[in-house]
Amino acid sequence: MAHSDTTAEPTRRDFLLLTAGAFGAVGVASVAWPFIDQMNPDASTRALASIEVDISALQSGQSITVLWRGKPVVVRNRTDKEIEEGKAVKLEELKDPIARNANVDPSADATDANRSAKDKENILVMVKVCTHLGCIPLDESGEFGGWFCPCHGSQYDTAGRIRKGPAPENLPVPVYAFTSDTKIRIG
């Protein structure tokens, strides 16, 4: 009788090979898990996934900086003059014509309206980190009266749009929503 004509029953060797393979896979997974798990965000970062900011004391021309996800976020109550200056800028004059606002269409133009809060154009919310090398710009500085990064000379206007210097993009606007007239939820 030929070997191919018989049906082979599992042997003890087959069982041992299968068991050893299963233990090996469990061992590899248990060694790999700490490396994979350490790539998750820190618990303190996850806790700050969204924050609520009270802007009731924020007067026209003032700004506050809050920490969100480990980054400084500026909330500015712009003056009428700053809003008018922002609206007067032509898109052709901008280095970055994209709004960089997570609350509008990703391809939206960097008009003043697309950078500020809808129906509350005096309120501006932005991540205050220079898009060149991650420095923190100074408030109300530079040629355009917005933000100035002294490290490499990037200058942003009153709507947070890059106007001069090596920074390639406008300051990003995070996801935010007004929960009331005086409170903003960021994130």
Side-chain angles (χ1 to χ4, degrees), residues 95-127:
K95 278 182 76 172
D96 182 13
I98 307 295
R100 310 278 177 214
N101 185 342
N103 303 293
V104 298
D105 180 40
S107 63
D109 292 336
T111 61
D112 187 76
N114 286 340
R115 298 276 304 157
S116 59
K118 185 176 177 129
D119 299 327
K120 293 184 185 264
E121 61 186 8
N122 60 313
I123 301 296
L124 187 65
V125 180
M126 298 177 310
V127 177

Side-chain angles (χ1 to χ4, degrees), residues 6 24 32 36 56 71 85-86 89 96 141 148 161 183:
T6 62
I36 295 168
S56 59
K71 299 175 196 167
E85 287 173 354
V89 175
D96 182 13
S141 301
F148 172 68
R161 300 171 294 196
K183 294 196 189 247

Side-chain angles (χ1 to χ4, degrees), residues 116-183:
S116 59
K118 185 176 177 129
D119 299 327
K120 293 184 185 264
E121 61 186 8
N122 60 313
I123 301 296
L124 187 65
V125 180
M126 298 177 310
V127 177
K128 192 170 89 168
V129 176
C130 181
T131 58
H132 178 231
L133 291 176
C135 307
I136 307 298
L138 303 174
D139 294 344
E140 301 174 55
S141 301
E143 293 176 34
F144 304 97
W147 290 265
F148 172 68
C149 183
C151 301
H152 302 100
S154 294
Q155 297 189 37
Y156 301 88
D157 66 9
T158 58
R161 300 171 294 196
I162 183 65
R163 299 293 299 280
K164 189 175 183 183
E169 296 179 350
N170 300 323
L171 294 175
V173 177
V175 173
Y176 70 93
F178 281 86
T179 57
S180 72
D181 285 341
T182 60
K183 294 196 189 247

